[in-house]
Amino acid sequence: MVAKGKDASDLFPAVVKNVVSKNIEVKKLVYVYLVRYAEEQQDLALLSISTFQRGLKDPNQLIRASALRVLSSIRVPVITPIMMLAIRESVTDMSPFVRKTAAHAIPKIYSLDPEQKEFCIEIIEKLLSDKTTLVIGSAVMAFEEVCPEKIDLIHKNYRKLCNLLVDVEEWGQLVIINMLTRYARTQFVNPNRYGEHMDNERFYESEHSSQEDQTPVTPEAPKSFTMDSDHRLLLRNTKPLLQSRNSSVVMAVAQLYHHVAPKTEVGAVAKPLVRLLRSHREIQSIVLSNIATMTTTRKSMFEPYLKSFFVRPMDPTLIKLIKLDILTNLATEASIGIILREFHTYVASSDREFVAATIQAIGRCASTISECTDTCMNGLVSLMSNRDEAVVAESVVVIKKLLQMAPAKHKDIIVHMAKLVEKITVAMARASILWLIGEYCERVPKIAPDVLRKMAKTFITETDIVKLQVLNLATKLYLTNPKQTHLLCQYVFNLAKYDQNYDIRDRARLLRQLALPNEKSGALAKHAKKIFLASKPAPVLESKFKDQDQFQLGTLSHFINAKSSGYQELPDWPEVAPDPSVRTVEAPMPWTDDQPKAKKPTKKKQSFYSESGESTGDDSSSSESDSDEESSDESGSEDEEESKSEKSVEAAESSAAEVSSSSEEETSASEESASETDSEEEEKPKKPVKKPGKAAVAAVAKQQLLLLDFDDVPAASSAPALLPGNALAPSLLTGAVVNEKTSPLQVTVCVHDVSGSVAMETLIICLYL
């Protein structure tokens, strides 16, 4: 029922009883139901809080995540402390899925209790440091909802976000890219500012600055700009996402390049955006609206894909209109012929709204490309003989706008339009013709009064917009030709004086006082000609998508061309880039021995390998001699240290004999193990042993040496006795036991890091009586 959208809230008490079920599948379904209706049935949901808390400790990660999701969905301020505790525990959960759910719960607790913002920021900071790609997207989403102004939380995680962006889920990629777009606009310098404004700045600086303060500017100054490495990292790591199967991710990368990338690199997004035009209609409308905005400033990007924007018969009207704007923006002297032929076929469409938009597009092409103005004007005049009144009316409106640019060249068109005033029935077209005749009545002095006479006859039946233009025409004709139009002008004013529309009545009173002055007329009547016959600027035919560039691409505000709720404006570029060192994170250094290690001479390595195959005693002596070589730098004589090491070997042999005589079983066991190790070592070549530190060797030079490794040494309670000469091969020392009769031992320990990447030497002295 819930999946089908039916109301199942009446079953809430019966469903809640099953929350204690041990069946995992049943518990999942109950949690899904509670997430949907917990906010509506808050009192009953509160009775199950203890069950949810137990669910947070469940071994199954899905149960833990579902319990946290339901707990955060109960919007009751009383349980806020319980939610905070649950979120704090879930942030450190072993499962990334549970940590992701905790990130989703942060905006819920913030909306429930805004006073917990500091707690939420603390949790968000922990989640942003998470290295799991499943968690990063949700953490950034929580950051955007709770504290988007805390940009310092992103500094140390910026490079990690850029490097892991490709592996994040698609929804997370979208959130991270939008956040990084605003981050880049605040932390980096505009890469296009030198190319856009450098020339103008130099021109004005050289004009107004003094000779003393002015510094010479070389032509190579713009070339000295180098993009920040972190800025380049962002562009490089987001470019592969242009091949994403998710259209929203492709659109997000496109808007990132549009707002952040240099002009020379923005062209990389053109082909992926054109690929999205094969998607569903809803996706096409969004992508086309963004492309239309991009073509207003960067038309060269999409010129190679001009034919991809041709209108198809099956396209809906909205997509047709957007494609018309794109084709008009892409029109150049080279491609205007192809575009006009395409427009000629569109005029024959049965969709009137599309036909009207096509005629307007033709007018825009004529106004932007002067070479094709006459061609477009002739085409529009031919459309005035079309059978469809809507086509004729729209043609008249567009011609009226074009005539304002060059009225002297197109006097014949004004005459031709004056003859059509009786045939055209569309109010907007009739009003446009009357405005043209009144504006340029001096160019057609014989036709204009006759047009006013015909309109005076039908004044009562005309629409309001036409009546207003008739009043304007009468006023202008009276000011330019009062002898022929004086009585006709008074007649029109009298008709308008008693009209039902108060706008027309007020307009008639105003124009009568200006055009027909009397004793009560004010000072404005003297300047009536300057007011009505002043030259007016020609209208600018622009794309409606030109104003939408003020909003960030890909947002709802951009699509509706109005600021929507929750929209965050894109910040301006800084003049000087902030300190880039805030994004530098020091990597944790591995633990190393504080004592400096002496360099091993190559000669001693050769002697070590040469003596390794003779006997076990030689091996031990060579290892001891190698260890003594490090301390030779301290004493200054290598020969003396070698003699000391030989004496220590002899002492070790004598002590081993004493221990063997005291315990025959231990001696036999040690001899067998020694013989086995001797035979193995004779067959295998010896590996060099790492050397201990200097100070410890000097302190216990005469003590017995015993080489230990760490891992295989058992605990102290069960460890066997360590006899001289025995070598253990572990990597973690847990304990060691030495017989009471054993002489003092010098234990050399090789410590290996868990990862195997670090090897260090430590000297441990064990003295036993």
Side-chain angles (χ1 to χ4, degrees), residues 430 434 449-462 470 473-474 487-489 491-493 495:
R430 292 170 66 86
L434 293 176
D450 189 56
V451 172
L452 178 61
R453 178 182 62 80
K454 293 180 180 179
M455 298 305 300
K457 291 181 180 180
T458 60
F459 183 84
I460 300 176
T461 59
E462 297 291 344
V470 171
L473 176 62
L487 296 176
L488 192 58
C489 183
Y491 176 73
V492 172
F493 284 155
L495 291 176

Side-chain angles (χ1 to χ4, degrees), residues 94 170 204-205 384 389 395 414 479 518 645 677 721 734:
M94 295 294 293
E170 295 173 346
Y204 288 112
E205 285 177 1
M384 295 175 63
E389 293 182 358
S395 301
I414 298 176
L479 293 174
N518 52 29
S645 63
T677 54
T734 58

Side-chain angles (χ1 to χ4, degrees), residues 414-429:
I414 298 176
V415 175
H416 181 66
M417 294 176 66
K419 295 178 181 178
L420 297 175
V421 71
E422 295 181 354
K423 299 179 181 179
I424 298 175
T425 58
V426 180
M428 190 64 190

Side-chain angles (χ1 to χ4, degrees), residues 89 105-106 108 133 139 149 210 246 318 333 369 376 458 486 490 527 547 556 599 613 668 702:
E89 293 178 354
I106 292 175
K108 297 180 183 179
T133 56
E149 73 282 355
S210 61
N246 192 318
L318 176 62
E333 297 179 3
I369 303 175
C376 295
T458 60
H486 179 70
Q490 286 185 341
H527 307 284
D547 297 335
L556 176 62
K599 296 182 179 179
S668 60
K702 296 182 179 181

